[in-house]
Amino acid sequence: MIKEKGILFVLSGPSGVGKGTVRKALFEKDTELKYSISMTTRAMREGEQEGIDYFYRSRDDFENMIQNNKLLEYAEYVGNYYGTPRDYVEETLESGKDVFLEIEVQGALQVKKNFPEGVFIFLFPPSLEELKNRIVSRGTETEELVKNRLLAAKEEIDMMDAYDYVVVNDKIDHAVEKVQSIVRSEHCKRERVAKQYKKVLEADLG
Ligand code: 5GP
């Protein structure tokens, strides 16, 4: 039996678009995908837990991970580091399971360089105005932070071109369904399927 590698799915998009919400809703339904828990230097928010929402680390620890090449990608975002632990992703893909990342756009571009065969999904806000309201109504940010996040968002939207799919986050359920459809479609892609069958045939034919 030939074991196929899993597929790497990357969900990204502008800040405040609802990546985290869509990802959580997706994982309430989907047990096949493996979520890669990120590492961050930001403070834990109320209701969050170590090893579930993030691995919370000091800047020193994080910088050590960078130096030791332990991160698949990382970005500094609004004053904090965020990054994807490399070993988990590589080992999980190797074991044949799909890995799902939910990261901001600078990181997604880095992943694309290392894993061009990954599937890149851009979550798009229904409108920039709504994006602004969502960030403000979250209520945990200062005005300065909100402004910074909006400026970052404009730049991020310009980056849509690097992605394979765009999902508008008009309703969480719709967005989740679309992401699930993308996952299913990717497993039916002729290139992937043909490669698998050819390998099996080659093994059988000797
Ligand atoms: P928050 O602080 O609201 O949890 O996350 C802020 C941003 O960081 C979100 O856009 C989230 O997708 C992104 N993020 C979370 N984990 C990672 C990661 O490992 N790498 C990168 N590049 N961004 C991440």
Side-chain angles (χ1 to χ4, degrees):
M1 167 76 184
I2 291 162
K3 205 159 196 185
E4 272 306 310
K5 276 180 79 171
I7 303 175
L8 179 65
F9 292 94
V10 180
L11 180 70
S12 193
S15 78
V17 72
K19 295 188 288 295
T21 313
V22 169
R23 184 255 301 168
K24 279 179 196 146
L26 172 69
F27 277 87
E28 276 168 20
K29 287 184 168 183
D30 208 305
T31 52
E32 297 289 310
L33 295 163
K34 296 287 168 192
Y35 176 57
S36 162
I37 299 162
S38 295
M39 203 159 278
T40 185
T41 59
R42 85 148 160 75
M44 200 185 276
R45 291 192 191 127
E46 217 181 301
E48 291 184 343
Q49 286 177 56
E50 163 71 21
I52 291 183
D53 299 283
Y54 285 102
F55 298 110
Y56 301 86
R57 294 292 182 269
S58 66
R59 283 188 83 83
D60 274 358
D61 284 354
F62 200 102
E63 281 166 2
N64 271 332
M65 299 275 296
I66 297 172
Q67 257 145 38
N68 295 322
N69 201 25
K70 293 280 183 202
L71 299 175
L72 185 65
E73 61 75 31
Y74 71 94
E76 198 156 8
Y77 176 83
V78 204
N80 282 300
Y81 282 128
Y82 294 82
T84 304
R86 179 189 299 278
D87 289 352
Y88 178 80
V89 173
E90 292 184 348
E91 285 162 14
T92 309
L93 289 174
E94 211 52 56
S95 78
K97 293 181 185 118
D98 294 346
V99 175
F100 192 90
L101 307 183
E102 177 248 301
I103 60 180
E104 55 68 67
V105 290
Q106 302 167 56
L109 289 180
Q110 289 174 50
V111 177
K112 189 157 174 163
K113 271 193 208 142
N114 295 326
F115 278 90
E117 72 279 23
V119 178
F120 294 81
I121 306 169
F122 194 83
L123 195 64
F124 198 74
S127 76
L128 262 181
E129 185 55 27
E130 196 177 320
L131 175 68
K132 176 166 160 268
N133 292 339
R134 281 200 216 176
I135 295 175
V136 174
S137 67
R138 201 189 277 164
T140 53
E141 330 284 358
T142 64
E143 240 179 67
E144 180 70 15
L145 257 180
V146 169
K147 211 175 134 200
N148 285 342
R149 285 201 174 217
L150 282 174
L151 282 176
K154 195 192 164 298
E155 285 173 14
E156 287 165 356
I157 287 168
D158 292 339
M159 291 185 186
M160 204 159 79
D161 287 353
Y163 292 76
D164 301 303
Y165 294 94
V166 176
V167 169
V168 176
N169 190 18
D170 48 359
K171 285 208 172 82
I172 295 162
D173 282 357
H174 291 173
V176 168
E177 276 167 23
K178 284 179 185 163
V179 172
Q180 287 183 307
S181 306
I182 292 167
V183 172
R184 284 188 209 113
S185 306
E186 285 296 323
H187 277 279
C188 301
K189 261 248 167 93
R190 197 260 312 147
E191 291 94 320
R192 289 187 209 281
V193 176
K195 212 164 77 186
Q196 287 170 17
Y197 281 108
K198 277 179 191 156
K199 271 193 194 169
V200 174
L201 280 180
E202 274 163 21
D204 279 357
L205 291 171

